[in-house]
């Protein structure tokens, strides 16, 4: 599902003393559900975020063509009304990100249309537009679009007539590969020509364009030339880009099988969770999977049996610390539902640290002292309010999600956690689940997950998780 995004900016703002109006269009000719999507957002370049103006969906039948025609019409209308089409220096996340933009060249405008025509299946129109873009013929993106259009046309018209299109597609692949080899650097540092321009997130940058060229070479070698060894060479080139696809892994498995390298093919198929019927229904593959599962299960049982659990005591809470806790979280000391936690922090001889030793890996869970718990609470509230200034709408959505689950973060007391992480286990000090222990992670700040009914069950529960083969990470 490729997204195509483009921008227009006012050449002379119509509103006096105001920043230029910026328009962002995002097109999905083939959306996640088969339909086509069109979004138009606008904002002054001084604004913090865009405002959605149009959010349209089109049926799968005819939808891509409708989106393309709408794009052509809007592009013409904006040019006629004082807007200039521009290229941003990087991905535009907010209106201010357009700073440093440059005008889009006529060749780039034609390549935009060529990309959309190829996406919509009109490969002849795409190639015609590329022939008009003579100043960009050496650019990777120009070769990428031509490769795609020729390969699409060859697939759509198999047989002897496809030979010329396959030959043309391979020539464009070779142009990209030769350019990559001449630069003698990693794909992430390569120059792609024509100001490194691309239109569409599937081909943004050298790695994805080099991988796409390699995939077409692998497809031809495997499906047309019947040369699996050559296909694997092309796939190895794609591997260097870290931009592989599920289709590439299909080609890899097929090539390995044709070369009789069944163990490698089976391992690849399972690693990438492919669903190739010819592999799934192969008794040899089924036997291999059964052996792998047995070996994995035995290794897992051996690993779990070797786990060690280390406990360490800590300092009992002082009267002053308990007074501080009573001031900030009075329910903890007043309600019997929290008695297990109070006993844990105040009774002598309690284990305040559990460490799961799994070979060279160690996962420690530390009971917080009262002062540390209050500091962790302040840190948690800061994470929850992280977007208050930068994105008030997102901040409101986070708080609404928390409230919908019946949670008041102000009444959630951090009681334990890992080293060097804001993530923690919390004691609920209000509501119907008072006294229960939850888990909270800063990566999902709106989610509070209930774990056990009271604090006394936390360390036993964490140990049981490890003994079941699923050590809880914080």
């Amino acid at each position: 599902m490729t997204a195509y995004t483009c921008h227009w900016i006012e050449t002379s703002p119509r509103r006096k003393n105001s920043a230029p109006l910026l328009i962002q269009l995002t097109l999905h000719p083939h959306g996640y559900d088969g339909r086509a999507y069109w979004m138009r957002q606008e904002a002054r370049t001084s604004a913090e975020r865009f405002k959605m103006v149009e959010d349209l969906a089109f049926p799968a039948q005819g939808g891509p063509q409708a989106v393309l025609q709408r794009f052509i019409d809007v592009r013409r209308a904006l040019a006629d009304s004082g807007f200039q089409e521009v290229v941003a220096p990087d991905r535009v996340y907010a209106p201010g990100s357009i700073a440093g933009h440059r005008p889009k060249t006529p060749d780039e405008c034609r390549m935009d249309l060529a990309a959309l025509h190829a996406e919509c299946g009109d490969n002849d129109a795409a190639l015609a537009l590329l022939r008009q873009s003579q100043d960009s013929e050496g650019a990777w993106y120009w070769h990428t679009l031509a490769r795609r259009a020729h390969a699409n046309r060859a697939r759509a018209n198999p047989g002897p007539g496809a030979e010329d299109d396959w030959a043309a597609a391979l020539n464009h692949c070779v142009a990209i590969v030769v350019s990559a080899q001449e630069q003698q650097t990693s794909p992430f540092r390569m120059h792609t020509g024509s100001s490194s321009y691309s239109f569409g997130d599937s081909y943004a940058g050298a790695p994805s364009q080099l991988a796409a060229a390699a995939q077409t070479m692998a497809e031809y070698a495997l499906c047309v030339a019947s040369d699996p060894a050559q296909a694997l060479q092309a796939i190895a080139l794609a591997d260097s880009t870290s931009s592989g696809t599920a289709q590439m892994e299909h080609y890899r498995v097929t090539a390995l099988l044709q070369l009789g390298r069944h163990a490698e093919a089976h391992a690849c198929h399972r690693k990438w969770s492919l669903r190739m019927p010819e592999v799934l229904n192969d008794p040899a593959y089924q036997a291999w999977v059964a052996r792998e599962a047995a070996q994995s299960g035995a290794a897992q049982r051996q690993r779990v049996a070797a786990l060690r659990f280390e406990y360490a005591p800590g300092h009992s809470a002082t009267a002053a610390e308990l007074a501080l806790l009573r001031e900030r979280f009075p329910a903890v000391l007043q309600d019997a539902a929290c008695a297990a936690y109070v006993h844990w922090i105040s009774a002598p001889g309690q284990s305040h640290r559990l460490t799961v030793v799994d070979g060279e890996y160690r996962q420690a869970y530390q009971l917080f002292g009262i002062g540390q718990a209050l500091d962790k609470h302040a840190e948690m509230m800061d994470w929850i309010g992280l977007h208050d200034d930068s994105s008030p709408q997102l901040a409101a959505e986070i708080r609404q999600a928390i409230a919908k689950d019946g949670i008041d973060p102000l009444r959630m007391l951090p009681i334990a956690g890992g080293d060097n992480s804001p993530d923690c286990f919390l004691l609920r000090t209000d509501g119907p689940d008072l006294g229960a222990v939850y888990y909270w992670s800063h990566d999902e700040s709106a989610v509070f997950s209930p774990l056990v009914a009271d604090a006394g069950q936390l360390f036993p529960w964490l140990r049981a998780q490890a003994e079941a083969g699923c050590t809880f990470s914080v």
Side-chain angles (χ1 to χ4, degrees):
M1 186 184 75
T2 298
Y4 296 89
T5 305
C6 45
H7 299 89
W8 280 263
I9 194 166
E10 275 184 314
T11 53
S12 298
R14 298 176 183 178
R15 290 170 51 182
K16 188 177 181 181
N17 299 324
S18 66
L21 181 64
L22 176 64
I23 296 175
Q24 175 175 279
L25 298 183
T26 303
L27 293 69
H28 293 92
H30 299 282
Y32 67 95
D33 58 356
R35 295 191 294 173
Y37 290 89
W38 165 282
M39 288 185 291
R40 174 171 175 161
Q41 300 179 79
E42 298 181 359
R44 297 285 167 186
T45 55
S46 56
E48 292 184 355
R49 55 188 180 275
F50 286 101
K51 177 183 178 181
M52 185 68 72
V53 176
E54 293 179 326
D55 189 358
L56 307 176
F58 299 85
Q61 186 67 31
Q65 292 75 16
V67 165
L68 170 57
Q69 188 58 52
R70 191 177 190 88
F71 174 76
I72 293 171
D73 294 342
V74 168
R75 170 181 267 181
R76 184 183 303 113
L78 289 173
D80 291 343
S81 57
F83 282 81
Q84 182 182 58
E85 194 167 359
V86 298
V87 179
D90 203 349
R91 189 178 293 270
V92 176
Y93 293 102
S97 303
I98 202 69
H101 64 80
R102 63 170 178 80
K104 187 173 287 188
T105 69
D107 267 11
E108 289 167 347
C109 291
R110 283 188 284 268
M111 287 193 290
D112 291 353
L113 288 178
L116 290 172
H117 277 293
E119 185 78 11
C120 296
D122 190 348
N123 300 297
D124 292 340
L127 291 169
L129 285 162
L130 292 175
R131 285 192 290 271
Q132 299 173 37
S133 308
Q134 297 177 353
D135 292 338
S136 299
E137 287 185 4
W140 280 34
Y141 190 58
W142 186 90
H143 286 296
T144 292
L145 295 179
R147 170 203 58 79
R148 188 183 186 202
H150 279 294
N152 285 348
R153 199 162 66 178
R155 296 187 202 99
N157 302 283
E163 292 178 359
D164 289 344
D165 273 318
W166 276 122
L170 291 175
N171 284 337
H172 293 296
C173 292
V174 169
I176 290 176
V177 171
V178 169
S179 174
Q181 292 172 340
E182 289 175 344
Q183 294 184 51
Q184 297 182 343
T185 186
S186 75
F188 303 95
R189 297 177 180 270
M190 288 179 183
H191 300 291
T192 60
S194 187
S195 303
S196 298
Y197 180 74
S198 65
F199 175 60
D201 56 15
S202 290
Y203 304 110
S208 58
Q209 293 185 62
L210 181 56
Q215 179 167 316
T216 296
M217 295 168 70
E219 178 186 2
Y220 177 81
L222 189 63
C223 304
V224 180
S226 299
D227 189 342
Q230 190 69 33
L232 287 180
Q233 291 183 27
I235 292 169
L237 175 60
D239 289 342
S240 69
T241 69
S242 301
S243 298
T245 64
Q247 185 60 60
M248 183 75 81
E249 300 308 323
H250 277 75
Y251 293 150
R252 190 197 308 272
V253 170
T254 302
L256 289 169
L257 289 174
Q258 290 182 6
L259 291 170
R261 295 160 59 177
H262 294 85
E264 294 173 74
H266 294 164
C268 178
H269 186 278
R270 190 178 190 193
K271 175 182 178 181
W272 296 101
S273 301
L274 304 179
R275 305 296 299 172
M276 299 170 65
E278 65 273 28
V279 178
L280 292 173
N281 297 327
D282 182 0
Y285 177 72
Q286 295 169 0
W288 180 86
V289 169
R291 287 194 302 273
E292 287 291 306
Q295 292 173 6
S296 177
Q300 175 77 336
R301 290 189 295 272
Q302 184 178 5
R303 183 187 68 79
V304 170
L307 290 176
R308 299 201 326 272
F309 300 93
E310 299 175 352
Y311 293 88
H315 298 290
S316 302
T318 65
E321 289 173 328
L322 292 174
L324 181 60
L325 181 62
R326 180 180 293 105
E327 178 184 341
R328 295 286 302 278
F329 289 86
V332 174
L333 298 176
Q334 295 174 0
D335 199 294
C338 299
Y341 171 66
V342 176
H343 177 76
W344 193 6
I345 61 173
S346 58
Q350 297 293 307
S351 296
H352 285 201
R353 187 179 183 90
L354 164 64
T355 303
V356 179
V357 183
D358 183 357
E360 297 181 355
Y361 171 75
R362 301 173 70 90
Q363 174 64 65
Y365 312 99
Q366 177 68 49
L367 177 68
F368 299 146
I370 302 303
Q372 186 182 11
L374 297 179
D375 288 343
K376 283 285 185 180
H377 183 263
E379 183 180 12
M380 179 186 74
M381 297 304 297
D382 286 343
W383 277 106
I384 292 175
L386 180 65
H387 303 286
D388 285 351
D389 295 327
S390 61
S391 182
Q393 182 177 355
L394 175 59
E397 291 174 357
I398 290 173
R399 286 189 164 83
Q400 288 170 5
I402 295 173
K404 185 177 179 180
D405 287 339
I407 299 293
D408 180 359
L410 293 173
R411 299 291 177 263
M412 302 295 286
L413 173 65
I415 61 172
D419 298 327
N420 305 316
S421 173
D423 306 346
C424 54
F425 303 98
L426 307 106
L427 181 74
R428 184 167 184 174
T429 67
D430 71 343
D433 247 358
L434 190 150
V437 176
Y438 289 66
Y439 180 71
W440 174 86
S441 167
H442 74 287
D443 287 331
E444 297 182 278
S445 60
V447 179
F448 290 77
S449 304
L451 299 182
V452 294
D454 66 64
Q457 300 174 21
L458 181 57
F459 275 8
W461 182 85
L462 290 169
R463 175 165 181 161
Q465 291 293 301
E467 291 173 335
C470 303
T471 300
F472 196 98
S473 296
V474 292

